[in-house]
Amino acid sequence: MARNNEKNYGVLNRLYLQNNYKEHKERPTLNTLHTAKAIRRWIPVIKSDIQYCLHHLSGVRNYPEYKIKEYQKRLEMLQDEYQCFVEKHRELDPIRSELTTPGDIHSYIPKKQLKK
């Protein structure tokens, strides 16, 4: 009897994880994003993908040549995409973009300074 209950809990856990996973969407194209807030939401995701590729390219790893080229190609694509996102963010929100680059760590900026 206890074994069946454990199986049921496992199924519930799997359903819970599936429902949470649905929240993570694929990154939309830049053409579909029309607000600075929407663009700011995706810039840290791109940066984390870049860090992931850099982590796999750095250090001593026994990857074959084709895998290394694949990571380098993906890294270049992500860097280009990051630049495009930042440029569009600067077009949509020039005041905030003058003060900081989105996705970077920065100090507190008062609202009065943002409204100028």
Side-chain angles (χ1 to χ4, degrees):
M1 186 71 172
R3 181 116 170 113
N4 289 337
N5 285 337
E6 290 173 8
K7 287 181 182 178
N8 288 337
Y9 286 134
V11 171
L12 289 175
N13 190 21
R14 209 171 308 125
L15 289 173
Y16 175 76
L17 292 174
Q18 282 178 348
N19 290 340
N20 284 346
Y21 188 73
K22 288 178 186 175
E23 295 173 4
H24 302 292
K25 302 175 185 175
E26 289 186 18
R27 185 168 41 251
T29 60
L30 193 57
N31 298 333
T32 60
L33 301 174
H34 302 293
T35 63
K37 185 177 180 181
I39 293 173
R40 272 197 311 270
R41 188 249 183 263
W42 290 104
I43 288 177
V45 175
I46 296 172
K47 287 183 83 171
S48 68
D49 288 347
I50 290 172
Q51 289 298 324
Y52 175 80
C53 286
L54 287 173
H55 174 73
H56 281 278
L57 286 173
S58 66
V60 178
R61 300 242 175 0
N62 292 327
Y63 289 135
E65 283 296 318
Y66 76 91
K67 198 69 171 175
I68 293 172
K69 288 179 184 177
E70 183 180 307
Y71 275 117
Q72 288 173 342
K73 185 177 178 182
R74 185 165 181 233
L75 180 64
E76 290 172 4
M77 188 238 356
L78 287 170
Q79 287 173 338
D80 292 341
E81 188 175 12
Y82 174 77
Q83 287 299 322
C84 291
F85 269 67
V86 170
E87 287 172 11
K88 184 157 184 182
H89 182 268
R90 286 189 179 133
E91 290 173 10
L92 295 174
D93 194 1
I95 296 170
R96 191 177 291 234
S97 296
E98 284 179 11
L99 301 172
T100 63
T101 303
D104 287 345
I105 298 172
H106 58 82
S107 61
Y108 175 74
I109 301 170
K111 287 187 179 179
K112 290 179 183 177
Q113 191 175 359
L114 286 175
K115 290 181 181 178
K116 288 182 182 179

